[in-house]
Amino acid sequence: MTAIAPLPNMRFCAVALALSLAACAQPADEQAAAPPGQAAEKLHRQTSGESHIPAEFRALGTEPFWAVHTVSSGNGGIALRYSTPENSEGSAIAIEDELVETQMRRLSGMMGDQPFAIELTVAPCSDGMSDRNYPFTAQVTLGDQTLAGCARPMDG
């Protein structure tokens, strides 16, 4: 039997718990992620059939830890919220462009003055730190940084 060092596992659990709670939290300003009508006017949507990836999802990554989930934009649409352990409340991102294909969904917008995009692809995924399996891979691009992770439907 191999001994497991308790301290690193406790750190992982603490960070994973913080990200999980942050992804579940819905700050009061979520409804203000995009002013009413703004997202609908600016959103550029391209679709090529119905996607196997739902419009509402949660995505996460490790090393570094990050999370993205969809939120109501207040006008019947959706926006994104990006969070990290350093910013557990997260930052709202109004979706400006959406590309939807059968096996892929890509959403993009601006987070402050940096371009932000997340692309989900239908493929089995493991976060590498837990035994949980996810149905989608996720790739986040924030400015010139690229982050890899996994995703699941919001209700899954």
Side-chain angles (χ1 to χ4, degrees):
M1 185 162 119
T2 304
I4 298 175
L7 189 56
N9 287 336
M10 288 174 51
R11 276 192 213 133
F12 166 72
C13 290
V15 172
L17 177 61
L19 278 175
S20 295
L21 292 174
C24 292
Q26 294 187 358
D29 70 340
E30 277 190 3
Q31 295 298 322
Q38 179 181 359
E41 293 171 15
K42 286 186 154 184
L43 179 63
H44 178 255
R45 172 179 268 169
Q46 295 178 323
T47 60
S48 61
E50 192 170 326
S51 180
H52 294 294
I53 302 169
E56 295 184 7
F57 60 85
R58 292 185 189 277
L60 61 94
T62 58
E63 299 180 27
F65 290 97
W66 58 269
V68 174
H69 67 277
T70 53
V71 295
S72 171
S73 66
N75 63 356
I78 60 168
L80 300 172
R81 184 159 295 276
Y82 172 81
S83 59
T84 64
E86 299 80 24
N87 179 9
S88 61
E89 246 186 66
S91 300
I93 301 154
I95 300 168
E96 297 174 6
D97 192 54
E98 181 175 19
L99 175 61
V100 179
E101 297 178 356
T102 306
Q103 301 289 316
M104 187 270 297
R105 180 177 296 269
R106 184 176 197 281
L107 306 166
S108 61
M110 294 295 287
M111 189 170 93
D113 60 353
Q114 294 188 70
F116 179 95
I118 184 166
E119 184 172 307
L120 307 181
T121 305
V122 175
C125 187
S126 172
D127 63 20
M129 298 189 103
S130 72
D131 291 332
R132 184 162 190 172
N133 293 313
Y134 298 83
F136 315 121
T137 61
Q139 180 173 308
V140 168
T141 305
L142 177 56
D144 59 357
Q145 183 180 23
T146 301
L147 306 168
C150 301
R152 64 176 172 85
M154 185 66 89
D155 59 3

